[in-house]
Structure formats: structure tokens, C-alpha cells
Amino acid sequence: MYFHKLMPVNFYIFIIVLVVVPLLAWFLTRTGKRIHRQKVTNFYEKEHQVFDNQLSQYNPYYKSLDMPGKDRFLLRVSDFMESKDFQYIDVQQEEIMPLLISSAAIQLTFGLDNYLMDHFSTIYLLRDNYRYGLYNTPFEGHVSEEGIYLSWSNFLREFSDYSDGQNVGLHEMAHALVYVNFTSGDSIDQAFHARFSTFSSVARPIFEGMSGGDPNSPGASAAGLLGNYAATNYQEFWAVCVETFFERPVAFKKQIPTLYLALCTLLNQDPLTPGKILRSTITN
């Protein structure tokens, strides 16, 4: 008798756990996303002209886009900025800082579906080179589980020269993109994740040739373009490739065409084409 009285109660609890709780979680998530999207849209509409003027001045990649591309870029930048907490360490905050740093992230991920790198909620800006851990060499930037770190003086200096293949913003965003796809497991871009092994089948032999110093290896011709730092390890090789891909695409395509095309496929974009994006299957 006692057992039969408990059955309905347990049944209702089971229904609540199995049906009601997931539905409530889905509703709250959907509502939160809708509120966030509206907030981003309002932010974009309010700051659109200011952002366009500033990025046209500082970011050659953005400046080269057509109007639909610029609108899409700015909407993504607005979303990225609204999703991050920017912390300033020993540096005076300037309104343009989050915009330019966000633009580096969006430039890298412009051809991908997932561009927010959700694992990283905080981006730290420091004034100049800084010490990190037990390393003796000063850092311009780095990526760790806690966040993305950038020195503002180096970021601005390297962004102002868009032809030398050095861009700490793109470099660290490249590290961050690999981190979220292969280390943290958060905000994975499935297409990027799947294509990375194909990219590595081209990139690995070139990197190994550079690091081995063999003049007859596939990496011999790459060393002059990518520089010695790219031979440090495969992660640095990847990040230097990204810098060179965006800042020296003509030389990259001419000197290491197979690697350049592998990067185009991986990132779903070609900096040398007007529209940038190769396959327009992405939603926004």
C-alpha cells in the first residue's frame, strides 16, 4: 500500500527531471542568446560608423572588403567585443583597443562558423613586453587557460606595418584558435577541426625541414619567408604562417604555394580574393 502511494510521486519527479528541466534549460539558453543577439545588434547599429572609420584607418584587411563584407565583419566584431572582458594591466585604457584586438580575431576566423573562441572570456592588455613564468625572454603576447595576453605597444606597432609578416594580434589569435579546437574542447569549429589534419599533412614536412636545417628539404624555401622563429616548434610555425598569410600573401603564394593553398582551405578564405571567403556556407 505504501509502495503504491509513492509511485505517482516518483513518477512526477521522473517526468520533471526528464522533460521539464531540459525544456526549462533550453528555454533559458534560447532566451539568453536572443537577449545577447539583440544587445549585439543594438551595439552594432550604434557604433557602426565609428567602427567603420577606425578599422578603415587601422586594418587593411577590413578596408579591402566590399560593403556586405564590411557589414558582416563589423557585426562579428561587435559580437566578439560584447562577449569578452578586456582587462588593462599597467596601460591606459583607450576606446580603440577592444575594437582593434577584436578585429584581429575576426580577421582570422572570417571564413569560419565559430568565431567567438568562447573558452576565452578575458583578454588582458599590457603596456609593453612582459615577463611570464620562468622564461627569460620577454613576451609580446601569449595564450593560456586563463586568457589571451597582448602587449599593446607591440600590437599597435606591428599592426601599423602590414607588410613585414609580423603581427602579434594575429599570432596570438592563431594560438587561441587552436587552443579552443584541440585543448579546451569549448567552441569547436567542426570544419576547422576536421580540416586541420589535412593542413598538417602539407605543413608538417615543411616545418620538419626547417627545424632540421636540411637545405634539400621542403622547408628550405620556407625558411627565408617565415624566419627562424617558425622553426621553434610546430605551434609557433602555425602562428607565424598565419601572420605571413595575411600580411605577405603574394610572397607566400609564390614561394610556398602548397602551404598557402592549404591555409586557404583550412581557414576558408583567401586574402588575395576580393570577397575573401571561399565557400559561402556560413550563416553570419
Side-chain angles (χ1 to χ4, degrees), residues 22-249:
L23 281 175
L24 181 60
W26 173 84
F27 174 76
L28 292 174
T29 300
R30 187 178 178 86
T31 301
K33 288 182 178 179
R34 186 169 62 249
I35 293 172
H36 173 76
R37 178 57 59 184
Q38 186 59 53
K39 185 178 179 182
V40 168
T41 301
N42 293 341
F43 182 52
Y44 162 77
E45 291 175 350
K46 178 183 177 183
E47 302 293 344
H48 178 277
Q49 192 60 56
V50 173
F51 289 171
D52 176 67
N53 291 338
Q54 291 176 330
L55 288 183
S56 295
Q57 177 183 352
Y58 284 97
N59 190 315
Y61 178 95
Y62 171 82
K63 188 177 181 179
S64 70
L65 294 171
D66 58 18
M67 286 309 298
K70 287 182 177 180
D71 286 340
R72 183 172 171 277
F73 192 99
L74 289 178
L75 188 57
R76 284 189 165 206
V77 161
S78 300
D79 197 1
F80 191 91
M81 289 175 64
E82 283 292 294
S83 302
K84 307 302 177 190
D85 176 26
F86 291 84
Q87 295 288 323
Y88 305 89
I89 303 172
D90 195 30
V91 63
Q92 183 65 40
Q93 179 179 349
E94 300 177 31
E95 289 186 5
I96 201 171
M97 289 175 170
L99 175 64
L100 294 188
I101 290 166
S102 299
S103 76
I106 298 308
Q107 179 173 333
L108 173 62
T109 60
F110 199 52
L112 305 179
D113 278 321
N114 197 320
Y115 55 90
L116 290 179
M117 306 185 196
D118 292 314
H119 173 81
F120 298 106
S121 59
T122 307
I123 297 177
Y124 298 91
L125 276 73
L126 301 96
R127 183 178 59 186
D128 210 335
N129 291 351
Y130 58 93
R131 299 284 182 177
Y132 175 69
L134 300 176
Y135 294 96
N136 293 322
T137 304
F139 278 52
E140 291 188 16
H142 78 278
V143 171
S144 72
E145 184 178 355
E146 292 76 26
I148 301 169
Y149 294 75
L150 292 163
S151 60
W152 177 245
S153 62
N154 288 299
F155 179 95
L156 199 58
R157 172 177 54 80
E158 293 175 7
F159 227 92
S160 65
D161 185 349
Y162 203 73
S163 61
D164 62 354
Q166 296 183 19
N167 189 308
V168 68
L170 290 171
H171 186 103
E172 298 308 329
M173 292 305 172
H175 284 314
L177 182 61
V178 166
Y179 189 96
V180 299
N181 277 280
F182 296 99
T183 302
S184 72
D186 300 330
S187 61
I188 291 176
D189 186 284
Q190 297 298 336
F192 175 87
H193 190 278
R195 292 193 296 258
F196 199 85
S197 60
T198 303
F199 164 77
S200 287
S201 68
V202 176
R204 276 281 183 185
I206 295 174
F207 163 70
E208 290 169 0
M210 287 181 62
S211 58
D214 182 357
N216 299 314
S217 73
S221 61
L225 179 68
L226 301 177
N228 294 332
Y229 189 64
T232 304
N233 56 59
Y234 190 59
Q235 287 300 319
E236 296 306 331
F237 176 83
W238 150 252
V240 170
C241 281
V242 166
E243 293 177 279
T244 311
F245 179 71
F246 285 108
E247 291 210 347
R248 304 186 66 191

